Amino acid sequence: QVQLQESGPGLVKPSETLSLTCTVSGGSISTYYWSWIRQPPGKGLEWIGYIYYSGSTNYSPSLNSRVTMSVHTSKNQFSLRLSSVTAADTAVYFCARGGTILGFDSWGQGTLVSVSS
Amino acid sequence: DIQMTQSPSSLSASLGDRVTITCRASQTIRNYLNWYQQKPGKAPKLLISGASSLQSGVPSSFSGSGSGTDFTLTISSLQPEDFATYYCQQSYSTPWTFGQGTTVEIK
């Protein structure tokens, strides 16, 4: 059973860069798509983008100019960087396996990132 | 972007009730529709993919149907553990998008 765990700072200052890492255990990061999804407090789910184990990416157009994803196959990890954050980026950030027609079948527990000075 | 609209936004139901949640896409998505269940403070859980394929371990009381633009999630007999928020998600074209959610509450 694959497990995912997000890690990174819980507080980021406005205009700075949010950085999160997702560690995959119980399975290989290879041969799958891996996504980041976020959920502002009390609101719905927003897909941020995905990265394939080969490194190819697909980002949501609404965030494309600020998002960078990378994969580290030797560590079984993938990462998210979101630049120039504002209070609107405050959310629980989930990493998940998936990004194809089959949906997101495994999720991390989520990590709350607050943007505040 | 494909817009996903769920109805109702919330509903109250009793144990044993049959519950139906509707999801409508702003354009055809064939059968590329997934359903998730989310409980407070937890990550979403994939229930159904491809509009009607039940994930392993999901009770058979859950079922999904539809194609094109209109889809439904049905819970045939509501159990205590089913009180949660349900989201639909289209996987027809990126950006993948979710409905706004339907919260199922205890009457």
Side-chain angles (χ1 to χ4, degrees), chain A residues 35 37 39 43-47 50 58-62 94 98-105 107-110, chain B residues 1 32-34 36 38 41-46 48-50 55 87 89 91-92 94-100:
Chain A
S35 286
I37 295 157
Q39 184 172 39
K43 296 190 177 181
L45 299 161
E46 179 184 22
W47 175 74
Y50 71 61
N58 187 322
Y59 303 145
S60 174
S62 65
F94 296 99
T100 69
I101 62 173
L102 299 178
F104 308 104
D105 65 354
W107 295 65
Q109 64 186 23
Chain B
D1 299 6
Y32 297 135
L33 191 283
N34 308 305
Y36 301 83
Q38 186 179 32
K42 300 294 186 181
K45 173 186 175 183
L46 179 63
I48 289 171
S49 63
Q55 293 296 293
Y87 292 93
Q89 176 246 330
S91 52
Y92 181 75
T94 57
W96 312 134
T97 47
F98 293 85
Q100 81 279 14

Side-chain angles (χ1 to χ4, degrees), chain A residues 17-86:
Chain A
T17 296
L18 177 160
S19 295
L20 294 174
T21 295
C22 183
T23 300
V24 179
S25 58
S28 174
I29 203 168
S30 298
T31 73
Y32 284 100
Y33 288 82
W34 304 91
S35 286
W36 289 95
I37 295 157
R38 69 180 182 178
Q39 184 172 39
K43 296 190 177 181
L45 299 161
E46 179 184 22
W47 175 74
I48 299 169
Y50 71 61
I51 186 165
Y52 193 44
Y53 79 99
S54 63
S56 63
T57 56
N58 187 322
Y59 303 145
S60 174
S62 65
L63 297 169
N64 183 67
S65 63
R66 299 194 291 131
V67 171
T68 304
M69 295 183 186
S70 55
V71 63
H72 321 284
T73 53
S74 63
K75 297 181 180 179
N76 240 29
Q77 293 176 334
F78 61 104
S79 299
L80 167 71
R81 289 173 57 86
L82 181 66
S83 64
S84 305
V85 296
T86 69

Side-chain angles (χ1 to χ4, degrees), chain B residues 31-102:
Chain B
N31 69 330
Y32 297 135
L33 191 283
N34 308 305
W35 288 100
Y36 301 83
Q37 176 193 67
Q38 186 179 32
K39 297 181 179 180
K42 300 294 186 181
K45 173 186 175 183
L46 179 63
L47 298 176
I48 289 171
S49 63
S52 61
S53 296
L54 206 63
Q55 293 296 293
S56 175
V58 175
S60 58
S61 56
F62 288 89
S63 63
S65 65
S67 67
T69 60
D70 294 316
F71 301 87
T72 59
L73 173 70
T74 300
I75 309 172
S76 60
S77 178
L78 205 59
Q79 299 302 301
E81 59 270 24
D82 300 335
F83 293 95
T85 299
Y86 294 85
Y87 292 93
C88 62
Q89 176 246 330
Q90 63 83 16
S91 52
Y92 181 75
S93 67
T94 57
W96 312 134
T97 47
F98 293 85
Q100 81 279 14
T102 296

